[in-house]
Structures are given as structure tokens and as C-alpha cells.
Amino acid sequence: MRKGLIQATDSFERIVHWCLAVSCLILCFSGLGIMFHSLNFLGEPFGGLKSLKYIHNFTALFFILSLFFSVRMWWKEAGIFVFPEDLDWIKSAGGYLWHVDKVPEVGKYNPGQKMFFLVVALGGAAMVLSGLIMLFPLSIPAALVRLMYLIHAAGFVAIFAFFFIHLYLGTVGSPGSLPAMTTGWVTRAWLKKQHPKWLKEMEEHGTLVVYGEEKSSSHGH
Amino acid sequence: MKTEFVKLIDVTLCTACRGCQVACKQWNEMPGLRTKQQGSYQNPPDLQWNTWTLIRFQEYAPKDGEFKWLFRKDGCMHCTDAACVKVCPSGALYHTEYGTVGINQAKCIGCKYCISACPFDVPRYNPETDKVYKCDLCYTRLQGDQQPACVKSCPTGALTIGLKDVMIKKAYARVKELGGDANVYGDKFVDGTHVIYVLGEKPEVYEHLPKSPSVPVTTMLWKDILKPLSLLSAGGVIAGSFLHYIIHGPKLPDEEQGQEPKGGE
Ligand code: SF4
Ligand code: SF4
């Protein structure tokens, strides 16, 4: 680790994030294997499509847990929009789409991330609910079950597309972001560019954790 | 499709002897399960995983007419635009060269999608095998130039099978002969079914017979719109990200040489 790096996420946050990501991906790909005849072969390594169905169903339990902890952990910071700063950020698209001289400053999560979080939280909940009903279709009126299939498919459209946006912005689209998920330590320059207000807040509250610096200075004020 | 067959069920000729029901069980080696007396001659009370065809006994008393029995052989209609085939993820349900809908139990994963999708409420689930069962119009018999077991057993001529257009013509001729409310049921729904009825009464009179069955709208939206859309939108996002990268470029932190002007204090 290099001196001067700043801790952006704690280990619990990262573990939950990874659990959510891995279970979501397994669900996406096992789901794809079930949905497309041409992808049925994805079940082969596990002994067939039926095993893929079981993998999908059991991974869902894992996903439900991760989703629960994610929502509990991030709701306050990422689930609530703050006005007017978030609106200004949206108007300039965070400087992602066209050139903006000064991107409005936002806190720990920018409105784009908040929207992503909300899609994951609400979409995830819809997936869990419709998925659970799809497990017991015989005890529920057929018209309702059919609606659940529709919701499950619509949720997949959204989550699968969003996943790639998330992946792009978390890696090459915004270099320096990935460590927030891997080691948890980011550079000050990155923090200043992406979340200047959060940096200021942490400095003001003395919660800034800088690698290699004495405790006294990180608490110092 | 080479030879499209249609099985014609002329309910006006049916005497409810249940020969077809028994023949179906025998040929397909399906066990009988103990049932209870329900106050009706109809037995079992509904289609089951082990009962692919069933004679429905209906007591019919029209307002201005005499009481009569209505007998209807229920079972898979072998739809051309079959909702069950549309939703089956494993390919267990498939269209045969006769236009009928076959089922390969070895492939079935017990997801039960077909049960909710079928507009005629036909496929049945067996929890013990975790698989779904339904009539396959005696596919193996058709392949051996044999009539389905039910048709073979029918003593009254209520069941016949033949080439599609021939049977449809025959059905309309019979309806004309019967007159009154008699009608042909099946050739117009879900792109035509491969089991069609000559009904003595209007379709809505018969229990458990949908008046105008169709592939459910939600099923079509799911399979014809959202399913392709899931790949399209993901592909669009990937392409968009690439374009974004080469046109706009990544969002890089500003280079900062040496010390920060202001520290953590
Ligand atoms: S009646 Fe139902 S089970 Fe039979 S082919 Fe049509 S949709 Fe499939
Ligand atoms: S239950 Fe079996 S036959 Fe029915 S849709 Fe699922 S895999 Fe296909």
C-alpha cells in the first residue's frame, strides 16, 4: 500500500458488495442459460439444465441475504437524493457525457450511483418477489404467475444492462474506482475528482483515514 | 410441415363409454390412482399427470329446453402457436412433423412454465418425478402409421383422425348437418389447433372450455419482446460504453504533483 491513500470502504462493505456481485452474476448467467435454448449448454458442466435451475434457486438465497445487507448499509447514503446538488449533477450528467467545466460537487455517492443503487434495490426486490412466486406457480392463479414471469424478465433487462454500465464506470471508464471494491484504498486525487464533497466532509469530521499517517492526524482537529 | 394431422372430436357422437380414457392409460402405461366419489360420473375429477385425456360429464339444463348430458373429451389441443412450446426453456415441449406438440420428459426440468402458459390448462405436474406430463397424440403410433390409442378405441366414431384440411372440411359438413348451435371449435384459435371439436352447443356452454383461447399477452410480451430485449439492451450498453470511451474518454483524476495544497487538517 502506498502512503497517502485514503480508505473509501471498510471490509464489511466490500464483502457485502462482492457477495452481491457474485450472486447477481451467477443468477444472470444461470438465468440466461435457462431462458435461451441456445445457451442451455451452460448447464452441461453441472450435469444439465435441471442442475442449473437448482443453482439459480439456491444462489437466490445468497442474493437475498446480500441484498438485505446492501440496502441496510447503503440506503442512507445512496437511497436518498439530496436537492438541489443532485439535480445540478444530473443536469450536467456528472461530466460523463459532455465536457463540463465544473462538475457539481456531490457526497459519497453521486446521483448516477444512487440511481444504480435504487435499480438494484428495487429491481432486486422485484426479482426476489417474482422469483419466489415462480417457485410455487401451482398454488397461485395462472394470470398472476404469468405477470411474475413478465416482471422477472423485465427486471433482468434492466439489471443486465445496468451491470455493464456499472462495470464500465467502475473500471476503465473511471480509472481509480476499482480499488474501492478491492482493497478499499483510493487516491486522494481520485476522491477529489469523484467525490469532493465527501472528502471535505470526512476532513471536517475527522473521519478521514489516510494510510501511513499517524492516528492523531487522521483524528486531528 | 409435411403431414399435418387433425384429430376430430365430435362430442355429439360421444356416449361417454370412456374407452379412449382407458386406452390412453394402457398405451402410455400410466397407473390409475385411487379417487373419491364426488357425486359425478366423471372420474378422475380433472386431468392428472397420469390422466392425459378425460371425459367430462356435464349435466346441462338450458332455460327453455330439456335436461341433457354433455360429454366432452378433454386433453391437449396441440396448438399451432403453442404457448407451452413458447415458454419451455429446455426444449422438452416441441412441435412434431405432424403439427402436434410432443413432450420429451427426459428434458423436462419441472419449471412448470408450461402449466401457467397453456390457455387450455392441460399440462400436469408430478412432484415425485419433478416433471410435467400431457398427451402427445400418440406420437410413436403416428410414426408407425397407427391411429392414436383413443381414436382406435372409440366405438361410436366420435373420434377420427386424418389430414388437416380433410378433417376441417368434415367438421364443417357435420356442423351443417347438425344445424342449430352446433359449431366447429379449434381451427381458428392459436393459429389452429390439431385437435378440433364439433360442439353441439355454443362453446361457452361447456365447462372448462375457454371461449376464445389465445396465447396469454403476458407470455407473448415475455418471450417475444423482453427476451430479445435483454440481449439487445446489454449489447447496446456495451457498444455505448465503447463509444463513450473512444469519443469522450474516461473520467481521470486530475494530475496533482507533489504535496496537496491542503492536508487533512
Ligand atoms: S393445449 Fe396447452 S399443452 Fe396442448 S399444445 Fe396447446 S398450449 Fe400446449
Ligand atoms: S415444466 Fe418441463 S415441459 Fe413444462 S415448460 Fe418446464 S421444462 Fe418444459
Side-chain angles (χ1 to χ4, degrees):
Chain A
M1 210 93 65
R2 193 149 40 85
K3 270 194 175 182
L5 288 179
I6 293 166
Q7 190 176 27
T9 54
D10 61 28
S11 49
F12 182 73
E13 224 174 337
R14 292 198 298 282
I15 289 170
V16 170
H17 193 176
W18 274 105
C19 288
L20 190 71
V22 169
S23 57
C24 183
L25 275 183
I26 296 176
L27 285 171
C28 279
F29 285 101
S30 53
L32 274 171
I34 294 169
M35 184 152 62
F36 290 89
H37 284 174
S38 51
L39 296 176
N40 279 176
F41 70 86
L42 288 176
E44 290 309 322
F46 311 101
L49 202 60
K50 197 155 179 167
S51 315
L52 205 62
K53 181 184 93 168
Y54 287 129
I55 291 175
H56 192 79
N57 295 351
F58 281 109
T59 309
L61 291 176
F62 198 55
F63 177 79
I64 292 173
L65 265 176
S66 321
L67 189 69
F68 170 76
F69 281 110
S70 306
V71 171
R72 214 180 61 163
M73 185 167 71
W74 285 322
W75 184 259
K76 272 214 204 89
E77 290 160 333
I80 299 157
F81 286 85
V82 191
F83 295 104
E85 56 178 59
D86 279 351
L87 201 65
D88 293 339
W89 189 96
I90 293 169
K91 277 190 207 143
S92 70
Y96 279 100
L97 295 182
W98 55 89
H99 184 73
V100 181
D101 280 330
K102 201 157 165 25
V103 177
E105 298 197 348
V106 286
K108 181 166 182 187
Y109 295 107
N110 66 47
Q113 289 172 302
K114 289 182 183 176
M115 281 186 244
F116 178 76
F117 170 79
L118 283 177
V119 169
V120 172
L122 299 178
M127 292 308 261
V128 167
L129 200 83
S130 54
L132 283 176
I133 292 179
M134 287 163 67
L135 282 179
F136 309 100
L138 302 186
S139 23
I140 290 139
L144 203 67
V145 179
R146 289 176 199 144
L147 201 65
M148 292 304 134
Y149 292 137
L150 200 64
I151 291 174
H152 214 66
F156 178 70
V157 173
I159 288 174
F160 198 49
F162 261 67
F163 164 74
F164 287 105
I165 300 182
H166 192 55
L167 186 70
Y168 170 66
L169 291 178
T171 56
V172 292
S174 172
S177 305
L178 193 61
M181 188 182 180
T182 52
T183 60
W185 297 88
V186 297
T187 64
R188 186 181 287 269
W190 177 83
L191 206 54
K192 204 156 181 192
K193 177 82 175 181
Q194 296 289 356
H195 306 281
K197 202 177 141 213
W198 185 36
L199 181 64
K200 272 185 218 150
E201 277 166 7
M202 283 196 293
E203 282 171 346
E204 271 166 32
H205 300 145
T207 48
L208 198 69
V209 183
V210 183
Y211 191 75
E213 247 173 54
E214 287 301 312
K215 265 246 158 106
S216 58
S217 73
S218 60
H219 279 289
H221 68 112
Chain B
M1 221 147 290
K2 286 174 295 180
T3 31
E4 264 193 77
F5 280 137
V6 157
K7 180 170 83 178
L8 180 62
I9 305 177
D10 186 341
V11 300
T12 62
L13 294 177
C14 178
T15 58
C17 72
R18 283 196 284 218
C20 53
Q21 204 175 306
V22 174
C24 176
K25 264 205 169 36
Q26 273 185 343
W27 175 257
N28 294 300
E29 297 180 328
M30 283 294 139
L33 300 178
R34 191 165 286 281
T35 52
K36 280 214 175 79
Q37 163 68 275
Q38 303 254 333
S40 162
Y41 289 108
Q42 183 186 313
N43 187 55
D46 204 352
L47 293 170
Q48 301 168 310
W49 68 266
N50 59 319
T51 305
W52 302 346
T53 191
L54 165 78
I55 298 295
R56 294 195 180 275
F57 286 64
Q58 186 182 344
E59 299 172 32
Y60 178 55
K63 278 189 205 81
D64 45 2
E66 260 176 66
F67 166 88
K68 57 181 151 187
W69 280 103
L70 297 181
F71 306 126
R72 180 173 71 87
K73 179 183 178 303
D74 198 1
C76 178
M77 297 293 282
H78 297 275
C79 317
T80 303
D81 187 8
C84 63
V85 175
K86 206 185 209 21
V87 297
C88 181
S90 65
L93 289 159
Y94 62 99
H95 292 288
T96 72
E97 65 269 35
Y98 305 110
T100 57
V101 175
I103 179 164
N104 178 353
Q105 259 96 22
K107 282 190 176 176
C108 176
I109 61 169
C111 65
K112 314 182 198 82
Y113 291 177
C114 52
I115 296 180
S116 316
C118 171
F120 296 98
D121 185 25
V122 167
R124 287 295 189 274
Y125 176 70
N126 180 4
E128 264 164 48
T129 54
D130 190 24
K131 285 177 195 302
V132 152
Y133 300 80
K134 74 164 196 76
C135 156
D136 67 351
L137 212 82
C138 286
Y139 183 48
T140 51
R141 291 178 64 95
L142 289 184
Q143 282 175 316
D145 274 334
Q146 296 275 320
Q147 296 179 322
C150 56
V151 175
K152 186 97 183 164
S153 76
C154 181
T156 66
L159 304 181
T160 45
I161 188 163
L163 292 176
K164 189 178 169 188
D165 1 315
V166 178
M167 298 313 275
I168 291 177
K169 241 186 238 136
K170 187 176 155 189
Y172 277 97
R174 172 68 179 158
V175 159
K176 212 167 154 199
E177 189 186 322
L178 287 166
D181 280 346
N183 64 95
V184 177
Y185 179 96
D187 60 328
K188 293 190 184 61
F189 308 122
V190 284
D191 285 353
T193 50
H194 291 81
V195 169
I196 64 176
Y197 285 107
V198 165
L199 297 176
E201 311 289 332
K202 291 199 178 95
E204 51 267 42
V205 168
Y206 294 86
E207 286 164 359
H208 298 283
L209 190 66
K211 203 173 138 204
S212 52
S214 61
V215 178
V217 183
T218 41
T219 302
M220 285 198 290
L221 283 175
W222 169 27
K223 286 289 160 178
D224 298 338
I225 310 270
L226 289 180
K227 190 175 143 183
L229 191 67
S230 67
L231 292 189
L232 267 176
S233 59
V237 161
I238 294 172
S241 304
F242 181 69
L243 281 178
H244 179 263
Y245 192 76
I246 60 173
I247 294 171
H248 186 84
K251 193 166 175 180
L252 287 162
D254 301 323
E255 283 290 343
E256 293 192 60
Q257 281 100 16
Q259 255 359 80
E260 287 270 329
K262 231 178 142 257
E265 263 79 36

